[in-house]
């Protein structure tokens, strides 16, 4: 599929519903062959990928995902940003206690999360912690920079998928259970789980995306300076 770059960047939404046809290994390899040109700090390319095919592992991964997913729903329903580094932890803990209610609702009406194991392709993306230039590692705040050496790769993977008429979504809620995910795939402790990328031929490719305007997040000269306005 020939897609103009800017149009693609403005219109590649998360796809969570797929036709059942599998994504052949050759196609996955081709997508990764494109994604590997993503930038990383010092060009260390610390990403690793596990293609999850085994139905038993897929079901176990779905269950780990669901554990985080129901917490996500419960925290969001309480009006909080799920797991924000700066948040009201006590309110978050109270919200998480409500997660079983969301699990009941999910069991009654299964959606993307409950049927994750049936998705055409599941790619677990890992980050080699010995290869990340995490320059904010020693700051007295939540660290952020390490991920920037892996998530451009993840996004390139999704863009490469779009170019092939495929779609998907970056997911992270399973990382709430990272040690279980690591154990399931025999991943050494020197690697972090960065994402579970779900891919397939989307039933519909969402292209009208809701995003805040430039002036709401870009300012001139000061944090609360004059908004930069888009033409
Ligand atoms: C770092 C990251 C983590 C995400 N985690 C999840 C997830 O665990 N589950 C999920 O369904 N979507 C997840 N998403 C997808 C976002 O919900 C999605 O990108 C966002 O809502 C915008 O959707 P749109 O592109 O369809 O407008 C994640 C996206 C990013 C970038």
């Amino acid at each position: 599929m020939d897609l103009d770059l800017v149009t693609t960047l403005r219109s590649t939404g998360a796809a969570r519903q797929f036709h059942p046809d599998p994504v052949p290994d050759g196609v996955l390899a081709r997508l990764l062959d494109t994604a590997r040109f993503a930038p990383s700090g010092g060009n260390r390319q610390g990403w690793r990928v596990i293609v999850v095919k085994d139905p038993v592992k897929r079901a176990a991964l779905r269950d780990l995902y669901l554990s985080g997913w129901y917490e996500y729903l419960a925290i969001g329903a309480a009006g909080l940003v799920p797991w924000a580094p700066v948040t009201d932890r006590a309110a978050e803990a109270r919200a998480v206690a409500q997660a079983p209610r969301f699990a009941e609702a999910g069991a009654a009406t299964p959606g993307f999360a409950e049927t994750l194991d049936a998705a055409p392709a599941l790619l677990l993306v890992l980050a080699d912690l010995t290869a990340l230039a995490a320059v904010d590692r020693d700051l007295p705040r939540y660290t952020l920079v390490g991920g920037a050496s892996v998530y451009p790769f993840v996004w390139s993977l999704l863009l490469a998928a779009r170019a092939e008429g495929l779609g998907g979504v970056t997911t992270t809620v399973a990382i709430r259970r990272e040690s279980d995910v690591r154990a399931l795939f025999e991943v050494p402790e020197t690697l972090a789980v960065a994402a579970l990328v779900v891919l397939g031929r989307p039933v519909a490719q969402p292209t009208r995306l809701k995003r805040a305007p430039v002036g709401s997040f870009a300012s001139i000269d000061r944090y609360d300076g004059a908004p930069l306005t888009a033409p």
Side-chain angles (χ1 to χ4, degrees), residues 15 18 23 28 31-32 35 48-52 58 61 65 112 116 119-126 150-161 166-175 193-200:
F18 307 100
V23 184
L28 291 178
L31 301 182
L32 293 169
R48 298 289 177 271
V49 177
I50 298 175
V51 180
V52 186
R58 277 175 159 248
L61 188 55
Y65 184 98
F112 169 74
L116 189 69
L122 295 176
L123 275 65
L124 193 67
V125 181
L126 310 170
V150 176
Y151 294 112
F153 167 83
V154 169
W155 184 231
S156 290
L157 177 59
L158 285 162
L159 292 174
L166 300 172
V169 60
T170 302
T171 78
T172 50
V173 296
I175 301 168
V193 180
L196 174 67
V197 178
V198 185
L199 292 175

Side-chain angles (χ1 to χ4, degrees), residues 11-31:
S11 67
T12 303
R16 296 187 183 83
Q17 272 188 297
F18 307 100
H19 293 286
D21 32 311
V23 184
D25 283 0
V27 174
L28 291 178
R30 196 160 60 229
L31 301 182

Side-chain angles (χ1 to χ4, degrees), residues 213-220 222-230:
V214 172
S216 70
F217 62 82
S219 60
I220 295 171
R222 295 198 320 273
Y223 175 72
D224 61 351
L228 179 74
T229 47

Side-chain angles (χ1 to χ4, degrees), residues 40-44 128-137 145-149:
S40 58
N43 198 21
R44 296 285 173 184
D128 181 348
L129 299 175
T130 68
L132 297 185
V135 298
D136 58 351
R137 186 193 61 190
V145 177
S149 281

Side-chain angles (χ1 to χ4, degrees), residues 75-76 78-93 95 142 176:
I75 301 168
L80 300 167
V81 175
W83 306 299
V86 178
T87 192
D88 180 341
R89 291 282 185 138
E92 189 180 275
Y142 169 80
R176 289 301 290 172

